[in-house]
Each structure stands twice: as structure tokens, then as C-alpha cells.
Amino acid sequence: MAERPAPRRFRRRLTAAFAITAALSSGLLAITTYGFASGYRWRNFREMSQDEVRVALALSPSTLDSTSFERLLGAYEKRSGTDTIAITAQGNAYSSSKLLTVADIPAELLQGRPGELVTADVDQGATSYLLVAGTGATEVRYVFFFSLDQLQSSLAELRAVLWWGWVLIVIGSLAIGYVVSGRTLRPVRKAADAAAALAGGLLDTRLDVTDADDEFGVWAESFNTMADALAAKIDELARAAERERQFTSDVAHDLRTPLTGMTATAILLQDHLDELPESSRRPVTVLLNDVARLKDLVLDLLELSRLDAGAEPVDAEALDVAVAIHATIDSLKLPDTVNVTVDTETGLWVAAARGRFRRVLGNLVANAAAHGHGPITVTAHHRGPDIVIDVLDEGPGIPPDRLERVFDRFYKSDESRAAGGSGLGLAIAREHARAQGGDIAAANRPEGGARFTLTLPATTDPTTDAPETL
């Protein structure tokens, strides 16, 4: 059995689901972590800044001038190095940076009660500041500028760490999901291969039960139980079919000997039919017809038994399709009222056994003549690697629910029962066609009537030009 390509779509979906779950959960964790961490750092930075301002205000001089402001800055810079602006009640301002002036301070920070701290976030050029304002001794207003660059840089580093950690988690989850899904789906793959092997006829195929405690172990045991039951049922059906074939063959062979005597007697009666009294001719005629039908039935049964047993080899050869069709039609004893038209492409050659080809096509044409009630058309053309031969009639067609049943053994439509026949002709024809690598199909024509399509493998024109005769 050919190795089937391993399906990948479900494995990819399972891997993607694994990765998406990991990405969503880790992404939510990273966002939550960043939110808590950034909030904590902001609160901590504000609290530390306010504590430093309280210490600085406590150390502020009672009289503020340039000298005392420089001493205050010297003491404070040892602690944090934060820029400061001091504003006296008289409006004099002292700044630790030439880049910062009173104009850079929001109005709400210029006023406040002693002991009360006021904060605000401002941007000064490319630098962001946290401003903390409070009143020192002698009602001097101090505003401290705490740069946010270090805090924002640390938060950016945290974002980068969380981002690349999330990326690595997603990549790792993809790899882990691919491996895990492969290991998880391996029993499914084995079960699919085992089912395909069973369908291919390997009835001894079973799954290995490595661990019966998990779901796959129970599944494997159930599969093996099903396979055992299926193999037993198929063996039983095979034995039943073999008994049926043997019974048919035995009955046909047992009937053949008495049928030979009945046929010889029927021939004698047929020769002396005119010598019989008028009252005896009718029952004798019915008897002769029944003997003929019985003979055809037994011969058909014998032919079916040989086909089922594969006792007749297929001696395929190259046949000229047009010549073979005309020879088959000429060999049939069709009523004069039945007109058969043959329309074939030129240069068609088919690989078939002469006798089998004649049996199949002859049966299809005879069936069309018996049930078509009108002219018959036989066409042939190429279709891919095959030759397609259509037998068309203009009869009432076939009921849609009986299209496939017409090939069943002993199947007869209500109309065909009155016309006689064993009900085995189409079944025998299909068996002959399939034995030669072809098939027969039935369909209804849109314009009315039935279409029987015979498909046989095409071949090339042989090197010899010997005429085809059947």
C-alpha cells in the first residue's frame, strides 16, 4: 500500500492554538506586570521626592540671599543634585540652573500654605520634570525640579524586557506546541494508517496498546476490538459468498445433464410439432419455450460461476473498434424492424478479448432492442486513456431509482418480466467489462431513452493490418 502524505493542517491548528494561548496569557501577564511595576515606581518616586523636599525645607535658611541659597544648594546637591528655584515674598527669585526660571513654574505651584506640598508634571524642552513646591522659613517658596529621565529610562528598559520576554515565550510555545502536538497526534496518525490498511484488505492490522489507562490506550483497544469483529464478519461473508458461488456452480452443473436430454427432446418435438394434434401444439410450444429459457439460465449461471472464480483468463488484444462493433451487430439475430446506426471516430483501437467484447456489446445492443422500442445508435470516442462506447435507444428510459439496480443479478423490471430473460445479462456484461479493466454505466438521455456506456482501455494501432473479425 502506498504511503499516504502526513496531514499537517490539524497539527498546525493545534500548534497555533497552543501558541495563541501562551501569547495571550503571557501578554496579559506582561501588561499586568508593567502596570503594577510602573505604578509602583511612579508612586515611590513621588514619595521619595516629597520626602527630600521636606528635608530641604527643614534645612532652609531663615534669611534667604545669594550666599544662603548657595549654601542650601551645596547641602542639597550632596543628597540628590535636583535643580531648585526659590522665590521670596518680595518677588526675588534664585535658580540653581540658568535654564530654569520662574516662568517655567505653573501658577498653582507658586502659592501654598506652610507644610503643604504641591506637585505637577511639566516638560521643559526634551526633559520631563516632577515639580514639588513647598514654603520654607520666612515664607520663601521653594520649587524643586526632579528629572524623570531616569525613571522613564528604567520603565523603557522594563518594557523592552517584557516585550522580548513575550516574544521568546511565543517562539518557545510554538516550538513546544509543534513537538507536543506531534506526539499527541501520533496515535491518531497510526490509527488513520491502520484504518487505511484495513480498508485496503490487510485485515490483520492492529494498533499497539502501550498504555491502556489513558484515552488513546482505550481507543487502541476499541479499535482492535472493532478490527477483530470486522475481520470475523468479512471472513463470514466471504465464506457465505463462496458457499453461494459453489451452490450456483453445483446447481448449474447438476442441471446441465438433464437439461441436455430435455433440449434433445425439445428439438425432436420441434421437428414433429406439425404432426401433433391442434390441442397439443399450444402446451408443447410453451414447454419448448420454457426449456429454451431454462437452458439460457443454466448457461448464464455457469458463466457467472466461472467469472466469480476467475477461471477464464483475459486474452486481451488490439481490436479495431469500428470493425468489432459492426461484426458484433452482424452476429446478432435482431428483428428486421430494429435499425442500428454506428457512429465511431476513426482510428480507435481497444485492448479487449474478442469473445468478451462480443458478449458485452452484444448484450447491450440486444437489451436496447428488447426494451428500447425504436432505432439504436452505437457511438465510440476517445476519453483520456479509455475508449467509450455508448449504446443509445429511444425507449421509455430507466426509472432513476433503478439505474444502478439494473446490473444486479436476477434483477428484472416489471416490463422485462413479460419479455422473458434471466435477469443476468447486464450483470454478466459488467463482470466481463471489469475483468478487462473497464466498466459499464447506465443513464437516461435528456431527450428520452436510455444510455449504456461501455468503457475499455484504449491501445495503439498494431503493426499488422490483419482484418478484424469476430
Side-chain angles (χ1 to χ4, degrees):
M1 184 177 60
E3 182 71 18
R4 298 184 295 110
R8 299 291 183 184
R9 292 183 60 186
F10 185 72
R11 184 177 184 180
R12 288 196 294 267
R13 291 198 299 268
L14 191 60
T15 303
F18 193 90
I20 291 172
T21 302
L24 291 177
S25 58
S26 60
L28 180 61
L29 178 61
I31 294 173
T32 304
T33 301
Y34 179 77
F36 280 112
S38 61
Y40 171 78
R41 291 190 180 186
W42 274 103
R43 288 192 302 271
N44 190 50
F45 183 81
R46 288 178 182 273
E47 292 174 358
M48 291 179 61
S49 300
Q50 290 174 353
D51 290 342
E52 292 182 9
V53 170
R54 290 188 182 95
V55 173
L57 292 177
L59 297 176
S60 62
S62 57
T63 301
L64 183 66
D65 54 19
S66 299
T67 303
S68 60
F69 183 71
E70 290 295 332
R71 286 198 303 269
L72 175 64
L73 292 180
Y76 188 66
E77 285 178 356
K78 292 180 180 179
R79 296 175 57 87
S80 64
T82 303
D83 291 322
T84 307
I85 295 179
I87 307 167
T88 64
Q90 294 75 24
N92 298 325
Y94 301 91
S95 176
S96 64
S97 174
K98 296 180 180 180
L99 301 177
L100 298 175
T101 63
V102 176
D104 299 322
I105 303 174
E108 62 268 19
L109 268 70
L110 295 177
Q111 312 219 346
R113 297 189 302 271
E116 179 185 19
L117 298 180
V118 183
T119 62
D121 297 330
V122 298
D123 293 327
Q124 180 64 28
T127 304
S128 298
Y129 292 96
L130 170 65
L131 274 61
V132 181
T135 302
T138 63
E139 297 184 355
V140 177
R141 192 69 174 171
Y142 291 91
V143 180
F144 296 87
F145 289 75
F146 294 91
S147 175
L148 299 177
D149 289 346
Q150 185 176 0
L151 176 62
Q152 291 175 342
S153 176
S154 65
L155 291 177
E157 291 179 359
L158 177 62
R159 286 196 301 270
V161 169
L162 293 175
W163 163 255
W164 286 111
W166 180 82
V167 171
L168 291 177
I169 289 175
V170 171
I171 295 175
S173 64
L174 280 172
I176 295 173
Y178 187 80
V179 174
V180 171
S181 63
R183 293 179 62 86
T184 303
L185 295 177
R186 188 177 303 163
V188 179
R189 170 66 177 172
K190 291 180 178 179
D193 292 339
L198 281 176
L202 301 178
L203 300 181
D204 58 344
T205 302
R206 298 294 184 272
L207 292 176
D208 294 332
V209 183
T210 56
D211 187 358
D213 294 334
D214 64 7
E215 289 78 359
F216 286 117
V218 175
W219 180 23
E221 285 189 340
S222 300
F223 181 91
N224 293 340
T225 302
M226 179 202 68
D228 292 337
L230 179 63
K233 180 61 68 175
I234 290 177
D235 289 341
E236 180 182 348
L237 292 175
R239 289 193 298 269
E242 181 60 31
R243 287 195 301 268
E244 180 182 351
R245 286 194 295 268
Q246 188 63 42
F247 173 77
T248 301
S249 177
D250 292 343
V251 169
H253 279 90
D254 290 343
L255 289 176
R256 193 170 188 176
T257 299
L259 184 61
T260 302
M262 293 172 62
T263 303
T265 303
I267 294 174
L268 290 176
L269 286 174
Q270 181 71 38
D271 293 339
H272 298 281
L273 184 61
D274 295 337
E275 302 174 6
L276 296 176
E278 185 67 27
S279 60
S280 301
R281 291 181 184 177
R282 174 61 181 170
V284 170
T285 302
V286 173
L287 177 62
L288 295 177
N289 290 336
D290 287 343
V291 170
R293 291 177 59 185
L294 181 59
K295 176 185 176 182
D296 292 339
L297 175 60
V298 171
L299 293 178
D300 287 344
L301 288 174
L302 287 171
E303 187 172 1
L304 268 179
S305 66
R306 290 194 300 270
L307 288 171
D308 290 339
E312 296 183 357
V314 179
D315 298 325
E317 57 182 301
L319 301 180
D320 187 325
V321 174
V323 174
I325 291 175
H326 282 288
T328 300
I329 295 174
D330 292 341
S331 66
L332 298 176
K333 298 179 181 179
L334 298 176
D336 295 337
T337 56
V338 177
N339 181 28
V340 181
T341 302
V342 178
D343 181 14
T344 66
E345 295 179 2
T346 59
L348 297 182
W349 290 81
V350 69
R354 293 172 180 267
R356 292 178 185 264
F357 183 92
R358 180 179 59 204
R359 185 78 165 95
V360 175
L361 184 61
N363 185 285
L364 296 181
V365 174
N367 183 75
H371 306 294
H373 310 303
I376 301 171
T377 303
V378 180
T379 66
H381 60 278
H382 249 296
R383 186 175 66 192
D386 300 321
I387 298 296
V388 177
I389 301 175
D390 289 320
V391 178
L392 315 173
D393 64 52
E394 298 181 4
I398 306 171
D401 59 334
R402 301 179 184 177
L403 279 174
E404 191 60 29
R405 292 190 59 197
V406 296
F407 296 103
D408 292 346
R409 298 181 181 187
F410 297 105
Y411 175 77
K412 294 183 180 181
S413 64
D414 294 337
E415 296 80 1
S416 66
R417 290 187 183 276
S422 64
L424 296 173
L426 291 176
I428 292 174
R430 172 174 269 190
E431 292 296 333
H432 278 299
R434 289 179 172 177
Q436 299 175 95
D439 204 352
I440 302 176
N444 286 314
R445 303 172 62 193
E447 61 272 24
R451 174 197 302 270
F452 283 86
T453 302
L454 168 62
T455 304
L456 290 172
T459 189
T460 56
D461 187 352
T463 55
T464 59
D465 296 327
E468 292 291 332
T469 59
L470 291 179

